[in-house]
């Protein structure tokens, strides 16, 4: 039998203490036999409460193989944006001055579409 958890000990002890006090105050008994009956019934009630406290769920090693693993979420690959650096802009300007392409075609401006 497994060891009792802290919750079982706490619930059982509180049940014994409070039920004993309540029964002694309500019955107003002063005989030894009455007190013995009340204490035994409080102990039985405390044991019943401690046993019926739900235990934490434990995973068994055999049940892990039966449960399929969830499919991993699709990984979206991040592509870094190309940044224009000083060397790139310098090489573009040198290309436009060296090549026979006019500067208007290198820095073409897009016109907005008509209505």
């Amino acid at each position: 039998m497994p060891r009792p958890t802290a919750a079982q000990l706490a619930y059982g002890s509180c049940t014994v203490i409070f039920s004993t006090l309540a029964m002694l105050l309500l019955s107003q008994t002063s005989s030894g036999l009455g007190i013995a009956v009340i204490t035994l019934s409080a102990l039985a009630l405390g044991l019943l409460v401690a046993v019926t406290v739900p235990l934490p769920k434990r995973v068994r090693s055999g049940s892990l193989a039966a449960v399929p693993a969830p499919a991993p979420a699709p990984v979206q690959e991040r592509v870094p944006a190309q940044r224009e650096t000083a060397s790139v802009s310098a090489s573009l300007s040198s290309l436009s001055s060296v090549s026979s392409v006019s500067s208007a075609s290198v820095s073409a401006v897009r016109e907005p579409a008509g209505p």
Side-chain angles (χ1 to χ4, degrees):
M1 183 172 174
R3 293 183 179 180
T5 62
Q8 288 175 320
L9 290 174
Y11 286 144
S13 299
C14 288
T15 302
V16 169
I17 292 168
F18 290 130
S19 63
T20 302
L21 287 174
M23 286 188 278
L24 284 173
L25 291 173
L26 290 174
S27 68
Q28 296 179 355
T29 185
S30 59
S31 67
L33 183 61
I35 293 173
V37 169
I38 288 174
T39 54
L40 286 176
S41 63
L43 284 172
L45 184 62
L47 182 63
L48 179 70
V49 167
V51 170
T52 58
V53 170
L55 294 174
K57 294 182 181 181
R58 296 185 183 193
V59 178
R60 295 182 184 171
S61 60
S63 66
L64 286 178
V67 177
V75 178
Q76 294 181 352
E77 202 170 306
R78 299 182 104 189
V79 179
Q82 185 176 3
R83 296 181 182 163
E84 185 175 329
T85 60
S87 62
V88 172
S89 61
S91 65
L92 285 177
S93 65
S94 66
L95 281 177
S96 65
S97 65
V98 172
S99 67
S100 63
V101 179
S102 69
S103 64
S105 64
V106 171
S107 62
V109 176
R110 290 186 63 190
E111 295 291 327

XYZ file of all heavy atoms in Angstrom:
796
model
N 0.846 -1.173 0.000
C 0.000 0.000 0.000
C 0.896 1.242 0.000
O 1.855 1.326 0.768
C -0.899 -0.016 1.233
C -1.862 1.117 1.280
S -3.020 0.883 2.640
C -3.850 2.419 2.542
N 0.586 2.223 -0.862
C 1.430 3.424 -0.915
C 1.276 4.278 0.329
O 0.290 4.200 1.054
C 0.919 4.156 -2.150
C -0.462 3.667 -2.350
C -0.484 2.253 -1.844
N 2.269 5.110 0.561
C 2.226 6.008 1.718
C 1.154 7.065 1.518
O 0.901 7.489 0.395
C 3.580 6.684 1.892
C 4.662 5.729 2.284
C 5.946 6.485 2.499
N 6.996 5.570 2.909
C 8.218 5.932 3.175
N 8.561 7.197 3.074
N 9.102 5.050 3.547
N 0.548 7.520 2.622
C -0.481 8.563 2.480
C 0.148 9.894 2.085
O 1.245 10.245 2.503
C -1.117 8.644 3.866
C -0.127 8.046 4.787
C 0.666 7.050 3.993
N -0.587 10.640 1.274
C -0.104 11.950 0.855
C -0.386 12.971 1.948
O -1.085 12.692 2.925
C -0.797 12.378 -0.445
O -2.202 12.491 -0.192
C -0.555 11.380 -1.570
N 0.150 14.159 1.758
C -0.070 15.225 2.732
C -1.545 15.613 2.794
O -2.067 15.927 3.867
C 0.782 16.433 2.367
N -2.213 15.585 1.651
C -3.641 15.921 1.631
C -4.451 14.896 2.410
O -5.385 15.248 3.150
C -4.136 16.002 0.193
N -4.112 13.625 2.266
C -4.832 12.587 3.008
C -4.637 12.751 4.506
O -5.585 12.610 5.283
C -4.357 11.206 2.561
C -4.831 10.813 1.181
C -4.249 9.493 0.736
O -3.077 9.211 0.977
N -5.076 8.688 0.096
N -3.403 13.027 4.919
C -3.145 13.218 6.354
C -3.883 14.439 6.894
O -4.465 14.394 7.979
C -1.640 13.370 6.604
C -0.797 12.103 6.411
C 0.679 12.430 6.535
C -1.195 11.050 7.420
N -3.873 15.527 6.138
C -4.524 16.756 6.600
C -6.036 16.578 6.682
O -6.663 16.933 7.692
C -4.179 17.902 5.658
N -6.654 16.015 5.642
C -8.108 15.825 5.648
C -8.541 14.842 6.733
O -9.525 15.059 7.431
C -8.603 15.335 4.291
C -8.617 16.395 3.218
C -8.297 16.073 1.911
C -8.951 17.706 3.512
C -8.311 17.030 0.919
C -8.961 18.671 2.528
C -8.643 18.333 1.233
O -8.657 19.281 0.257
N -7.803 13.777 6.879
C -8.147 12.788 7.898
C -8.022 13.348 9.305
O -8.905 13.145 10.146
N -6.941 14.067 9.572
C -6.734 14.630 10.910
C -7.779 15.686 11.241
O -8.334 15.704 12.355
C -5.345 15.262 11.002
O -4.351 14.296 10.773
N -8.073 16.554 10.284
C -9.091 17.582 10.523
C -10.466 16.952 10.753
O -11.233 17.421 11.599
C -9.152 18.552 9.349
S -7.722 19.641 9.275
N -10.759 15.897 10.017
C -12.049 15.229 10.197
C -12.160 14.615 11.578
O -13.204 14.729 12.238
C -12.226 14.137 9.118
O -12.132 14.741 7.833
C -13.554 13.436 9.264
N -11.086 13.979 12.045
C -11.110 13.370 13.378
C -11.305 14.434 14.454
O -12.147 14.288 15.351
C -9.819 12.559 13.632
C -9.701 12.140 15.092
C -9.772 11.339 12.732
N -10.550 15.497 14.370
C -10.613 16.534 15.407
C -11.978 17.215 15.435
O -12.633 17.317 16.485
C -9.480 17.566 15.197
C -8.122 16.908 15.465
C -9.666 18.780 16.099
C -6.941 17.732 15.021
N -12.434 17.676 14.263
C -13.687 18.426 14.235
C -14.908 17.554 14.492
O -15.860 17.977 15.154
C -13.835 19.184 12.917
C -12.870 20.326 12.785
C -12.090 20.478 11.652
C -12.734 21.266 13.799
C -11.203 21.532 11.533
C -11.850 22.325 13.692
C -11.077 22.451 12.544
N -14.887 16.319 14.000
C -16.043 15.450 14.260
C -16.095 15.028 15.730
O -17.187 14.902 16.309
C -16.015 14.229 13.345
O -14.871 13.445 13.599
N -14.924 14.826 16.363
C -14.925 14.489 17.793
C -15.485 15.655 18.609
O -16.331 15.447 19.501
C -13.492 14.168 18.263
O -12.983 13.099 17.474
C -13.466 13.763 19.720
N -15.003 16.855 18.323
C -15.515 18.021 19.062
C -17.015 18.216 18.835
O -17.765 18.487 19.781
C -14.758 19.284 18.640
C -13.325 19.414 19.148
C -12.655 20.643 18.540
C -13.320 19.502 20.663
N -17.455 18.089 17.602
C -18.873 18.301 17.303
C -19.743 17.257 17.999
O -20.776 17.588 18.602
C -19.093 18.258 15.787
N -19.339 15.983 17.938
C -20.155 14.940 18.573
C -20.160 15.053 20.091
O -21.183 14.808 20.743
C -19.676 13.548 18.133
C -20.060 13.203 16.693
S -19.719 11.502 16.251
C -17.993 11.573 15.845
N -19.006 15.422 20.688
C -18.969 15.584 22.139
C -19.829 16.770 22.583
O -20.519 16.690 23.610
C -17.525 15.773 22.621
C -16.662 14.511 22.667
C -15.215 14.863 23.002
C -17.221 13.518 23.678
N -19.797 17.856 21.840
C -20.604 19.017 22.212
C -22.094 18.775 21.990
O -22.931 19.218 22.777
C -20.153 20.254 21.438
C -18.770 20.797 21.817
C -18.367 21.919 20.862
C -18.779 21.300 23.255
N -22.425 18.075 20.903
C -23.841 17.836 20.613
C -24.454 16.773 21.522
O -25.621 16.869 21.906
C -24.024 17.434 19.145
C -23.790 18.550 18.126
C -23.864 17.989 16.712
C -24.815 19.655 18.306
N -23.662 15.752 21.864
C -24.220 14.676 22.702
C -24.203 15.031 24.191
O -24.971 14.459 24.968
C -23.445 13.378 22.491
O -22.139 13.505 23.017
N -23.336 15.934 24.601
C -23.172 16.342 25.990
C -22.993 15.142 26.924
O -23.502 15.096 28.030
C -24.352 17.194 26.440
C -24.464 18.501 25.684
C -25.657 19.320 26.128
O -26.478 18.880 26.942
N -25.761 20.528 25.605
N -22.253 14.153 26.438
C -22.016 12.962 27.258
C -20.854 13.216 28.210
O -19.934 13.971 27.928
C -21.736 11.739 26.375
O -21.636 10.587 27.198
C -20.455 11.883 25.605
N -20.921 12.565 29.352
C -19.851 12.677 30.333
C -19.363 11.308 30.784
O -18.415 11.211 31.563
C -20.311 13.493 31.540
O -21.436 12.888 32.127
N -19.984 10.236 30.283
C -19.555 8.893 30.674
C -18.372 8.453 29.822
O -18.185 8.897 28.688
C -20.712 7.904 30.518
O -21.028 7.756 29.155
N -17.584 7.582 30.378
C -16.405 7.071 29.678
C -16.768 6.257 28.440
O -16.077 6.315 27.413
N -17.865 5.485 28.534
C -18.290 4.667 27.404
C -18.758 5.543 26.239
O -18.436 5.268 25.079
C -19.423 3.724 27.838
C -19.917 2.753 26.769
C -18.800 1.831 26.327
C -21.104 1.972 27.288
N -19.474 6.611 26.529
C -19.939 7.525 25.479
C -18.786 8.226 24.774
O -18.783 8.378 23.544
N -17.796 8.639 25.577
C -16.630 9.304 24.994
C -15.838 8.322 24.129
O -15.354 8.676 23.050
C -15.755 9.909 26.115
C -16.507 11.054 26.791
C -14.433 10.415 25.554
C -15.822 11.609 28.016
N -15.716 7.064 24.562
C -14.996 6.044 23.791
C -15.708 5.766 22.468
O -15.064 5.640 21.410
C -14.859 4.769 24.607
N -17.022 5.698 22.489
C -17.787 5.448 21.258
C -17.627 6.619 20.292
O -17.444 6.434 19.075
C -19.276 5.177 21.598
C -20.126 5.189 20.346
C -19.429 3.864 22.332
N -17.678 7.838 20.811
C -17.543 9.027 19.959
C -16.146 9.091 19.350
O -15.987 9.366 18.156
C -17.872 10.297 20.760
C -19.374 10.351 21.029
C -17.400 11.548 20.029
C -19.794 11.469 21.931
N -15.113 8.835 20.132
C -13.750 8.896 19.600
C -13.501 7.802 18.564
O -12.849 8.041 17.547
C -12.709 8.797 20.718
O -12.956 7.639 21.500
C -12.713 10.024 21.579
N -14.013 6.596 18.798
C -13.837 5.521 17.815
C -14.589 5.834 16.512
O -14.085 5.567 15.421
C -14.293 4.182 18.396
C -13.358 3.568 19.437
C -13.958 2.280 20.010
C -12.005 3.282 18.826
N -15.790 6.395 16.641
C -16.531 6.741 15.425
C -15.850 7.882 14.690
O -15.837 7.930 13.452
C -17.971 7.085 15.756
O -18.025 8.219 16.579
N -15.245 8.830 15.395
C -14.521 9.928 14.753
C -13.270 9.408 14.053
O -12.934 9.854 12.953
C -14.148 10.987 15.782
N -12.586 8.446 14.679
C -11.417 7.848 14.023
C -11.812 7.098 12.755
O -11.129 7.171 11.730
C -10.685 6.912 14.992
C -9.835 7.584 16.057
C -9.329 6.546 17.061
C -8.663 8.301 15.415
N -12.923 6.373 12.812
C -13.394 5.651 11.627
C -13.782 6.618 10.513
O -13.476 6.394 9.333
C -14.574 4.764 12.000
N -14.439 7.709 10.890
C -14.823 8.712 9.899
C -13.593 9.380 9.287
O -13.528 9.602 8.077
C -15.729 9.763 10.542
C -16.291 10.829 9.618
C -17.180 10.210 8.555
C -17.062 11.853 10.428
N -12.594 9.677 10.103
C -11.352 10.270 9.602
C -10.607 9.337 8.666
O -10.050 9.762 7.651
N -10.597 8.044 8.985
C -9.960 7.058 8.110
C -10.698 6.957 6.779
O -10.078 6.888 5.717
C -9.926 5.696 8.804
C -9.259 4.564 8.037
C -7.789 4.874 7.812
C -9.430 3.257 8.774
N -12.019 6.991 6.841
C -12.816 6.933 5.618
C -12.548 8.160 4.729
O -12.387 8.024 3.511
C -14.305 6.850 5.970
C -15.263 6.815 4.786
C -15.148 5.487 4.062
C -16.671 7.060 5.243
N -12.471 9.327 5.334
C -12.202 10.542 4.564
C -10.802 10.496 3.962
O -10.596 10.845 2.794
C -12.389 11.795 5.447
C -11.818 13.035 4.780
C -13.848 11.999 5.759
N -9.816 10.050 4.722
C -8.440 9.998 4.231
C -8.289 9.007 3.086
O -7.525 9.249 2.145
C -7.490 9.634 5.367
N -9.016 7.916 3.130
C -8.903 6.909 2.070
C -9.605 7.370 0.796
O -9.158 7.065 -0.312
C -9.476 5.559 2.557
C -9.595 4.559 1.423
C -8.586 4.999 3.650
N -10.687 8.118 0.928
C -11.449 8.527 -0.252
C -10.944 9.806 -0.911
O -11.485 10.207 -1.936
C -12.933 8.723 0.104
O -13.042 9.690 1.141
C -13.560 7.419 0.551
N -9.915 10.452 -0.365
C -9.333 11.627 -1.013
C -8.704 11.155 -2.320
O -7.955 10.180 -2.333
C -8.273 12.295 -0.117
C -7.498 13.354 -0.869
C -8.918 12.878 1.111
N -8.999 11.821 -3.455
C -8.439 11.371 -4.732
C -6.923 11.473 -4.747
O -6.346 12.468 -4.312
C -9.049 12.300 -5.771
C -9.820 13.325 -5.039
C -9.871 12.963 -3.601
N -6.287 10.431 -5.240
C -4.839 10.407 -5.340
C -4.403 11.102 -6.615
O -5.132 11.124 -7.604
C -4.344 8.959 -5.359
C -4.576 8.158 -4.085
C -4.169 6.707 -4.307
C -3.773 8.739 -2.944
N -3.196 11.672 -6.633
C -2.696 12.265 -7.877
C -2.475 11.176 -8.914
O -2.063 10.066 -8.585
C -1.387 12.937 -7.474
C -0.997 12.299 -6.192
C -2.255 11.823 -5.538
N -2.761 11.501 -10.171
C -2.625 10.507 -11.236
C -1.160 10.308 -11.559
O -0.406 11.248 -11.732
C -3.383 10.962 -12.475
C -4.868 11.015 -12.248
C -5.588 11.427 -13.501
C -7.083 11.485 -13.231
N -7.837 11.864 -14.419
N -0.775 9.053 -11.669
C 0.596 8.715 -12.023
C 0.584 8.027 -13.380
O -0.290 7.239 -13.685
C 1.219 7.791 -10.988
C 1.354 8.446 -9.639
C 2.073 7.566 -8.683
N 2.120 8.210 -7.385
C 2.878 7.811 -6.399
N 3.639 6.762 -6.554
N 2.875 8.444 -5.256
N 1.589 8.311 -14.171
C 1.692 7.716 -15.491
C 2.491 6.432 -15.365
O 3.591 6.412 -14.812
C 2.392 8.694 -16.462
C 2.551 8.069 -17.828
C 1.609 9.981 -16.545
N 1.924 5.368 -15.879
C 2.638 4.087 -15.849
C 3.521 3.988 -17.079
O 3.203 4.498 -18.141
C 1.640 2.936 -15.831
C 0.823 2.910 -14.569
C -0.098 1.732 -14.570
N -0.956 1.780 -13.380
C -1.972 0.979 -13.195
N -2.290 0.081 -14.107
N -2.687 1.070 -12.104
N 4.618 3.295 -16.939
C 5.556 3.183 -18.055
C 4.964 2.365 -19.194
O 5.271 2.595 -20.354
C 6.873 2.570 -17.585
O 6.631 1.270 -17.061
N 4.103 1.408 -18.923
C 3.496 0.597 -19.973
C 2.463 1.366 -20.764
O 2.249 1.107 -21.949
N 1.801 2.337 -20.148
C 0.765 3.081 -20.851
C 1.342 4.147 -21.766
O 0.644 4.671 -22.609
C -0.197 3.719 -19.851
O 0.487 4.696 -19.097
N 2.626 4.484 -21.605
C 3.227 5.478 -22.477
C 3.362 4.970 -23.901
O 3.228 5.732 -24.851
C 4.608 5.886 -21.957
C 4.616 6.787 -20.722
C 6.055 7.053 -20.297
C 3.921 8.079 -21.003
N 3.626 3.679 -24.058
C 3.795 3.131 -25.395
C 2.465 3.055 -26.127
O 2.418 3.130 -27.352
C 4.425 1.742 -25.303
N 1.360 2.917 -25.411
C 0.057 2.782 -26.048
C -0.478 4.117 -26.538
O -1.261 4.165 -27.474
C -0.932 2.159 -25.074
N -0.056 5.207 -25.930
C -0.554 6.522 -26.311
C 0.339 7.083 -27.414
O 1.541 7.220 -27.229
C -0.553 7.486 -25.098
C -0.992 8.868 -25.512
C -1.430 6.936 -24.006
N -0.241 7.404 -28.584
C 0.608 7.955 -29.648
C 1.039 9.372 -29.321
O 0.316 10.136 -28.701
C -0.302 7.935 -30.876
C -1.685 7.991 -30.312
C -1.619 7.255 -28.987
N 2.224 9.685 -29.742
C 2.755 11.030 -29.499
C 2.072 12.010 -30.429
O 1.777 11.688 -31.577
C 4.269 11.038 -29.735
N 1.793 13.219 -29.955
C 1.153 14.200 -30.840
C 2.106 14.620 -31.946
O 3.320 14.660 -31.767
C 0.834 15.364 -29.905
C 1.781 15.218 -28.779
C 2.025 13.733 -28.628
N 1.538 14.930 -33.098
C 2.353 15.350 -34.235
C 2.954 16.718 -33.949
O 2.283 17.592 -33.410
C 1.495 15.411 -35.488
N 4.209 16.893 -34.289
C 4.816 18.197 -34.026
C 4.200 19.258 -34.929
O 3.773 18.995 -36.046
C 6.294 17.979 -34.354
C 6.317 16.812 -35.281
C 5.145 15.958 -34.895
N 4.134 20.452 -34.411
C 3.576 21.570 -35.170
C 4.507 21.893 -36.332
O 5.726 21.795 -36.207
C 3.423 22.791 -34.275
N 3.943 22.248 -37.481
C 4.813 22.569 -38.617
C 5.665 23.796 -38.311
O 5.180 24.795 -37.799
C 3.834 22.841 -39.765
C 2.534 23.140 -39.099
C 2.534 22.403 -37.804
N 6.918 23.682 -38.636
C 7.860 24.755 -38.360
C 7.931 25.660 -39.582
O 8.195 25.194 -40.689
C 9.258 24.189 -38.037
C 10.253 25.310 -37.793
C 9.179 23.263 -36.850
N 7.649 26.919 -39.386
C 7.751 27.865 -40.483
C 9.154 28.434 -40.493
O 9.629 28.961 -39.494
C 6.724 28.979 -40.322
C 5.308 28.488 -40.449
C 4.326 29.645 -40.317
O 4.697 30.749 -39.990
N 3.067 29.351 -40.567
N 9.782 28.288 -41.631
C 11.155 28.735 -41.731
C 11.181 30.238 -41.966
O 10.475 30.756 -42.824
C 11.827 28.015 -42.906
C 13.315 27.977 -42.795
C 13.906 27.049 -43.829
O 13.500 25.892 -43.891
O 14.773 27.519 -44.569
N 11.968 30.916 -41.196
C 12.066 32.363 -41.332
C 13.227 32.689 -42.271
O 14.333 32.208 -42.096
C 12.302 33.004 -39.977
C 11.180 32.732 -39.007
C 11.439 33.429 -37.723
N 10.559 34.579 -37.691
C 10.614 35.526 -36.790
N 11.525 35.493 -35.856
N 9.766 36.522 -36.803
N 12.923 33.505 -43.249
C 13.941 33.925 -44.206
C 14.290 35.369 -43.894
O 13.416 36.232 -43.898
C 13.417 33.801 -45.656
C 14.467 34.262 -46.640
C 12.992 32.379 -45.933
N 15.547 35.637 -43.623
C 15.914 37.019 -43.287
C 15.819 37.911 -44.517
O 16.092 37.505 -45.638
C 17.350 36.900 -42.783
C 17.865 35.628 -43.358
C 16.676 34.730 -43.521
N 15.408 39.132 -44.299
C 15.302 40.097 -45.390
C 16.692 40.594 -45.767
O 17.575 40.727 -44.925
C 14.430 41.268 -44.963
N 16.865 40.862 -47.064
C 18.156 41.358 -47.515
C 18.237 42.844 -47.226
O 17.367 43.619 -47.616
C 18.327 41.102 -49.005
C 19.699 41.478 -49.504
C 19.879 41.117 -50.975
O 18.951 40.643 -51.596
N 21.055 41.336 -51.490
N 19.280 43.232 -46.537
C 19.459 44.620 -46.164
C 20.442 45.291 -47.114
O 21.427 44.691 -47.526
C 19.984 44.731 -44.737
C 19.004 44.191 -43.728
C 19.552 44.344 -42.339
N 18.617 43.769 -41.390
C 18.929 43.445 -40.156
N 20.152 43.637 -39.729
N 18.031 42.939 -39.357
N 20.139 46.523 -47.420
C 21.045 47.268 -48.288
C 22.113 47.915 -47.415
O 21.811 48.672 -46.496
C 20.283 48.334 -49.062
C 21.155 49.056 -50.056
C 20.355 50.012 -50.896
O 19.169 49.751 -51.147
O 20.937 51.028 -51.286
N 23.335 47.579 -47.690
C 24.441 48.138 -46.919
C 25.174 49.172 -47.749
O 24.886 49.380 -48.930
C 25.422 47.026 -46.493
O 25.924 46.398 -47.687
C 24.742 45.989 -45.620
N 26.156 49.798 -47.167
C 26.921 50.829 -47.866
C 27.685 50.241 -49.035
O 27.801 50.859 -50.093
C 27.874 51.524 -46.893
N 28.190 49.034 -48.897
C 28.952 48.428 -49.982
C 28.049 48.071 -51.155
O 28.446 48.180 -52.312
C 29.699 47.189 -49.481
O 28.773 46.224 -49.036
N 26.814 47.665 -50.887
C 25.886 47.335 -51.964
C 25.493 48.586 -52.721
O 25.476 48.616 -53.954
C 24.630 46.606 -51.400
C 23.581 46.444 -52.469
C 25.012 45.277 -50.813
N 25.167 49.668 -51.995
C 24.788 50.903 -52.681
C 25.961 51.496 -53.447
O 25.790 52.078 -54.517
C 24.225 51.911 -51.690
O 25.198 52.235 -50.727
N 27.179 51.335 -52.942
C 28.364 51.835 -53.654
C 28.594 51.029 -54.916
O 28.938 51.579 -55.970
C 29.586 51.774 -52.754
N 28.388 49.718 -54.843
C 28.592 48.899 -56.033
C 27.513 49.173 -57.067
O 27.773 49.139 -58.265
C 28.633 47.413 -55.672
O 27.375 47.003 -55.164
N 26.277 49.483 -56.629
C 25.231 49.824 -57.576
C 25.528 51.145 -58.280
O 25.303 51.288 -59.478
C 23.871 49.901 -56.880
C 23.228 48.577 -56.505
C 21.927 48.829 -55.751
C 22.972 47.734 -57.728
N 26.030 52.110 -57.539
C 26.341 53.397 -58.152
C 27.514 53.272 -59.103
O 27.546 53.912 -60.154
C 26.607 54.452 -57.087
O 27.769 54.114 -56.357
N 28.489 52.429 -58.761
C 29.625 52.248 -59.675
C 29.198 51.481 -60.910
O 29.694 51.731 -62.002
C 30.782 51.550 -58.971
O 30.406 50.223 -58.643
N 28.267 50.565 -60.770
C 27.775 49.827 -61.924
C 26.998 50.739 -62.866
O 27.105 50.634 -64.086
C 26.881 48.664 -61.484
C 27.568 47.405 -60.991
C 26.528 46.390 -60.529
C 28.438 46.804 -62.067
N 26.212 51.618 -62.318
C 25.422 52.503 -63.172
C 26.308 53.501 -63.904
O 26.009 53.905 -65.018
C 24.358 53.225 -62.356
O 24.968 54.087 -61.435
N 27.405 53.923 -63.289
C 28.289 54.869 -63.969
C 29.157 54.163 -64.990
O 29.516 54.744 -66.008
C 29.151 55.611 -62.958
O 30.013 54.702 -62.308
N 29.521 52.904 -64.769
C 30.394 52.170 -65.667
C 29.614 51.617 -66.845
O 30.052 51.665 -67.984
C 31.126 51.031 -64.916
C 31.876 50.144 -65.877
C 32.050 51.614 -63.877
N 28.449 51.114 -66.584
C 27.704 50.465 -67.655
C 27.063 51.494 -68.561
O 26.966 52.670 -68.253
C 26.643 49.542 -67.064
O 25.681 50.319 -66.403
N 26.617 51.024 -69.679
C 26.005 51.913 -70.659
C 24.532 52.139 -70.376
O 23.849 52.797 -71.126
C 26.182 51.338 -72.062
O 25.501 50.101 -72.134
N 24.027 51.574 -69.258
C 22.633 51.723 -68.898
C 22.437 53.119 -68.344
O 23.226 53.599 -67.547
C 22.222 50.658 -67.855
C 20.769 50.833 -67.461
C 22.497 49.287 -68.381
N 21.393 53.757 -68.753
C 21.153 55.118 -68.284
C 20.707 55.107 -66.827
O 20.200 54.114 -66.324
C 20.103 55.795 -69.161
O 18.858 55.179 -68.942
N 20.886 56.218 -66.168
C 20.517 56.305 -64.763
C 19.009 56.270 -64.585
O 18.507 55.932 -63.530
C 21.099 57.566 -64.133
O 20.529 58.706 -64.755
N 18.264 56.597 -65.607
C 16.806 56.566 -65.515
C 16.309 55.141 -65.408
O 15.340 54.865 -64.707
C 16.186 57.250 -66.731
N 16.972 54.203 -66.082
C 16.511 52.814 -66.008
C 16.953 52.155 -64.707
O 16.335 51.203 -64.255
C 17.013 52.018 -67.211
O 18.432 51.959 -67.169
N 18.041 52.634 -64.106
C 18.501 52.052 -62.852
C 17.567 52.464 -61.729
O 17.193 51.661 -60.889
C 19.952 52.477 -62.548
C 20.360 52.057 -61.150
C 20.891 51.903 -63.568
N 17.177 53.703 -61.688
C 16.297 54.166 -60.630
C 14.915 54.481 -61.214
O 14.484 55.633 -61.207
C 16.890 55.370 -59.929
O 17.028 56.414 -60.874
N 14.276 53.462 -61.768
C 12.962 53.646 -62.365
C 11.933 53.880 -61.268
O 11.985 53.265 -60.212
C 12.580 52.441 -63.189
N 10.989 54.796 -61.554
C 9.960 55.119 -60.595
C 8.664 54.502 -61.101
O 8.309 54.651 -62.276
C 9.802 56.651 -60.441
C 8.656 56.976 -59.499
C 11.087 57.242 -59.976
N 7.960 53.831 -60.224
C 6.678 53.233 -60.629
C 5.592 54.264 -60.539
O 5.420 54.923 -59.514
C 6.340 52.045 -59.725
C 7.255 50.876 -59.963
C 6.832 49.671 -59.197
N 5.507 49.251 -59.657
C 4.781 48.329 -59.049
N 5.246 47.767 -57.956
N 3.602 47.974 -59.513
N 4.848 54.404 -61.587
C 3.722 55.330 -61.618
C 2.493 54.603 -61.111
O 2.325 53.404 -61.314
C 3.485 55.817 -63.055
C 4.628 56.647 -63.626
C 4.740 57.995 -62.935
O 3.721 58.548 -62.523
O 5.881 58.465 -62.800
N 1.589 55.311 -60.438
C 0.365 54.659 -59.995
C -0.499 54.294 -61.189
O -0.467 54.941 -62.232
C -0.323 55.709 -59.116
C 0.324 57.005 -59.473
C 1.674 56.694 -60.005
N -1.264 53.238 -61.025
C -2.115 52.754 -62.099
C -3.245 53.751 -62.343
O -3.696 54.445 -61.428
C -2.709 51.394 -61.743
N -3.708 53.818 -63.570
C -4.760 54.739 -63.938
C -6.091 54.331 -63.328
O -6.259 53.233 -62.818
N -7.082 55.238 -63.454
C -8.386 54.954 -62.840
C -9.139 53.849 -63.502
O -9.088 53.317 -64.447
C -9.151 56.253 -62.947
C -8.385 57.164 -63.825
C -7.042 56.564 -64.020
